[in-house]
């Protein structure tokens, strides 16, 4: 985030330096002289929280684009063809605009899948991948390709029986073998599509590959996996863990962060994971959270040695999560 983009925005909490000294009080509207002051004190702009000045994505707009996604995927299932024009007109503008939402926690909350997981997942992964692409400073032309690739990453699931996709219990080995074929199906559907950048079918093929070679379908390692596929893998896992699935409820926030850091779902690209999680955590100051003991608090400041264990204010008590092993953040509370 560039400093100049802060002009005219109203800060939510006091801006403090590394020693806790207040530099600019809460509710100040940022002007030119504030920008110079913040630069002199080397304040990271993404650590500043603001009074919300963006329009939250409405549930109706999400439902509308999910219904469009559903219609398009049924069309692909019936015809075996990718209707590029309909996707570029009916889905991609929403995906790219949603990724501009300045409050990423509102964004994450509204794109969580609750029902019809497959269709909501396509939109959620498209938005989160676009967001990651921007944080990685990809060019606009690269982001356009990434957004489309991420939105279509699971297109091969149109050839997987619905009873397997929506099975509430554990899959058998045979059922999981069928599920894994969606990567190949997606690649085969898209590789013949005229006007489609060839990195897009690669993402469909490779988004379950892992750096350690333990992914599928080809067991590729490291640089053998396309960079966009690695980005979509991170978005795919984050959205899947954050959402209600036929076989599990949303996983608590602290567990998602911990598991992604440790690569528990397969070795993800460490730089992409770090950029994604660090950008999330740095935006948490000023956000309300629900702790694992049920209490609600506000993130006051980040721990410079481990940003995943911030200082939380609960009523008149301050809880330093870096010194407590018994309490963690269960969920970011959107009010």
């Amino acid at each position: 985030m560039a400093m100049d983009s802060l002009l005219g925005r109203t800060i939510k909490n006091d801006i403090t330096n590394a020693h806790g000294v207040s530099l600019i009080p809460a509710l100040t509207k940022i002007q030119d002289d504030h920008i110079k002051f913040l630069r002199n004190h080397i304040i990271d702009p993404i650590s500043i929280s603001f009074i919300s000045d963006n329009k939250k994505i409405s549930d109706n707009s999400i439902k509308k684009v999910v219904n469009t996604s559903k219609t398009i995927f049924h069309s692909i299932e019936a015809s075996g063809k990718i209707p590029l024009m309909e996707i570029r007109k009916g889905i991609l503008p929403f995906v790219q605009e949603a990724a501009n939402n300045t409050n990423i926690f509102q964004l994450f909350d509204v794109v969580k899948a609750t029902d019809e997981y497959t269709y909501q997942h396509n939109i959620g992964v498209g938005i989160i991948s676009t967001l990651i692409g921007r944080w990685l400073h990809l060019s606009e032309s690269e982001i356009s390709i990434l957004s489309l690739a991420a939105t279509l990453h699971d297109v091969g699931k149109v050839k997987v029986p619905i009873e397997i996709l929506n099975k509430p219990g554990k899959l058998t080995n045979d059922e999981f073998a069928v599920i894994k074929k969606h990567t190949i199906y997606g690649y085969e559907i898209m590789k013949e599509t005229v006007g489609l950048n060839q990195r897009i079918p690669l993402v469909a093929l490779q988004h379950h590959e892992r750096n350690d070679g333990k992914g599928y379908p080809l067991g590729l390692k490291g640089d053998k996996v396309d960079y966009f596929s690695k980005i979509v893998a991170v978005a795919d896992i984050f959205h899947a863990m954050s959402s209600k699935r036929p076989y599990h409820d949303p996983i608590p926030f602290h567990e998602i962060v911990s598991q992604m850091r440790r690569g528990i779902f397969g070795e993800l690209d460490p730089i992409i994971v770090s950029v994604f999680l660090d950008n999330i955590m740095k935006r948490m100051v000023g956000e309300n959270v629900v702790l694992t003991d049920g209490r609600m608090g506000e993130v006051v400041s980040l721990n410079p040695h481990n940003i995943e264990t911030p200082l939380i204010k609960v009523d008149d008590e301050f809880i330093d999560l870096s010194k407590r092993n018994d309490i963690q953040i269960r969920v970011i509370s959107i009010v």
Side-chain angles (χ1 to χ4, degrees), residues 88-107:
R88 285 184 169 136
K89 284 185 175 180
I91 297 179
L92 280 189
F94 176 86
V95 165
Q96 297 197 335
E97 181 59 32
N100 288 329
N101 191 295
T102 56
N103 188 320
I104 62 166
F105 300 106
Q106 286 182 352
L107 174 62

Side-chain angles (χ1 to χ4, degrees), residues 155-214:
V155 71
K157 286 185 176 177
V158 300
K159 292 193 170 185
V160 176
I162 194 71
E163 61 270 18
I164 295 180
L165 284 178
N166 292 336
K167 183 178 177 179
K170 183 177 173 62
L171 295 174
T172 66
N173 290 338
D174 287 344
E175 288 168 337
F176 186 52
V178 172
I179 284 277
K180 288 198 291 186
K181 288 181 181 176
H182 80 275
T183 54
I184 296 169
Y185 295 151
Y187 177 77
E188 290 175 343
I189 290 170
M190 288 196 284
K191 70 178 180 179
E192 303 299 335
T193 303
V194 176
L196 200 63
N197 184 288
Q198 287 308 297
R199 294 185 79 174
I200 294 172
L202 267 186
V203 167
L205 182 67
Q206 296 179 349
H207 66 277
H208 284 288
E209 300 287 2
R210 297 295 180 258
N211 269 10
D212 57 8
K214 295 181 180 178

Side-chain angles (χ1 to χ4, degrees), residues 23-304:
L23 302 176
I24 302 175
L27 306 182
T28 298
K29 193 171 186 176
I30 297 292
Q31 305 297 333
D32 281 324
D33 55 341
H34 297 125
I35 297 288
K36 294 173 186 173
F37 191 54
L38 293 172
R39 282 187 173 128
N40 288 340
H41 282 270
I42 318 178
I43 300 298
D44 187 343
I46 69 171
S47 67
I48 303 170
S49 56
F50 298 92
I51 301 295
S52 179
D53 57 3
N54 63 292
K55 184 178 180 181
K56 181 179 178 180
I57 304 168
S58 71
D59 288 338
N60 283 338
S61 64
I62 278 283
K63 285 177 184 174
K64 184 177 178 181
V65 78
V66 167
N67 283 335
T68 301
S69 170
K70 185 176 180 179
T71 300
I72 287 172
F73 269 61
H74 284 325
S75 163
I76 296 169
E77 182 179 8
S79 69
K81 307 286 186 184
I82 304 290
L84 273 183
M85 191 65 71
E86 287 92 331
I87 294 167
R88 285 184 169 136
K89 284 185 175 180
I91 297 179
L92 280 189
F94 176 86
V95 165
Q96 297 197 335
E97 181 59 32
N100 288 329
N101 191 295
T102 56
N103 188 320
I104 62 166
F105 300 106
Q106 286 182 352
L107 174 62
F108 290 160
D109 184 63
V110 81
V111 301
K112 284 179 184 175
T114 51
D115 52 22
E116 293 200 297
Y117 173 81
T118 297
Y119 308 110
Q120 291 178 321
H121 183 63
N122 298 329
I123 304 303
V125 173
I127 293 169
I128 295 168
S129 296
T130 303
L131 192 64
I132 296 172
R134 289 185 177 146
W135 287 342
L136 290 166
H137 307 296
L138 298 184
S139 69
E140 283 305 312
S141 60
E142 289 175 314
I143 286 174
S144 293
I145 296 168
L146 174 63
S147 297
L148 182 55
T151 303
L152 290 172
H153 78 289
D154 266 350
V155 71
K157 286 185 176 177
V158 300
K159 292 193 170 185
V160 176
I162 194 71
E163 61 270 18
I164 295 180
L165 284 178
N166 292 336
K167 183 178 177 179
K170 183 177 173 62
L171 295 174
T172 66
N173 290 338
D174 287 344
E175 288 168 337
F176 186 52
V178 172
I179 284 277
K180 288 198 291 186
K181 288 181 181 176
H182 80 275
T183 54
I184 296 169
Y185 295 151
Y187 177 77
E188 290 175 343
I189 290 170
M190 288 196 284
K191 70 178 180 179
E192 303 299 335
T193 303
V194 176
L196 200 63
N197 184 288
Q198 287 308 297
R199 294 185 79 174
I200 294 172
L202 267 186
V203 167
L205 182 67
Q206 296 179 349
H207 66 277
H208 284 288
E209 300 287 2
R210 297 295 180 258
N211 269 10
D212 57 8
K214 295 181 180 178
Y216 65 83
L218 302 175
L220 302 178
K221 286 186 178 182
D223 292 341
K224 298 294 184 183
V225 182
D226 184 84
Y227 191 57
F228 285 2
S229 301
K230 294 181 178 186
I231 293 173
V232 173
V234 171
D236 183 33
I237 286 176
F238 180 83
H239 186 265
M241 291 197 290
S242 302
S243 299
K244 182 176 176 60
R245 304 290 299 277
Y247 47 86
H248 74 64
D249 286 331
I251 294 172
F253 178 78
H254 72 93
E255 286 188 23
I256 295 174
V257 173
S258 172
Q259 290 178 13
M260 290 187 75
R261 287 280 193 208
R262 290 186 284 121
I264 202 164
F265 287 94
E267 192 62 35
L268 299 169
D269 185 284
I271 294 175
I272 296 172
V273 170
S274 290
V275 167
F276 178 53
L277 295 181
D278 289 353
N279 271 278
I280 291 173
M281 299 304 300
K282 287 177 181 177
R283 287 168 167 79
M284 283 189 63
V285 176
E287 295 295 328
N288 293 316
V289 297
V290 178
L291 301 176
T292 49
D293 64 1
R295 290 184 292 170
M296 180 177 285
E298 180 183 349
V299 178
V300 176
S301 64
L302 301 176
N303 175 354

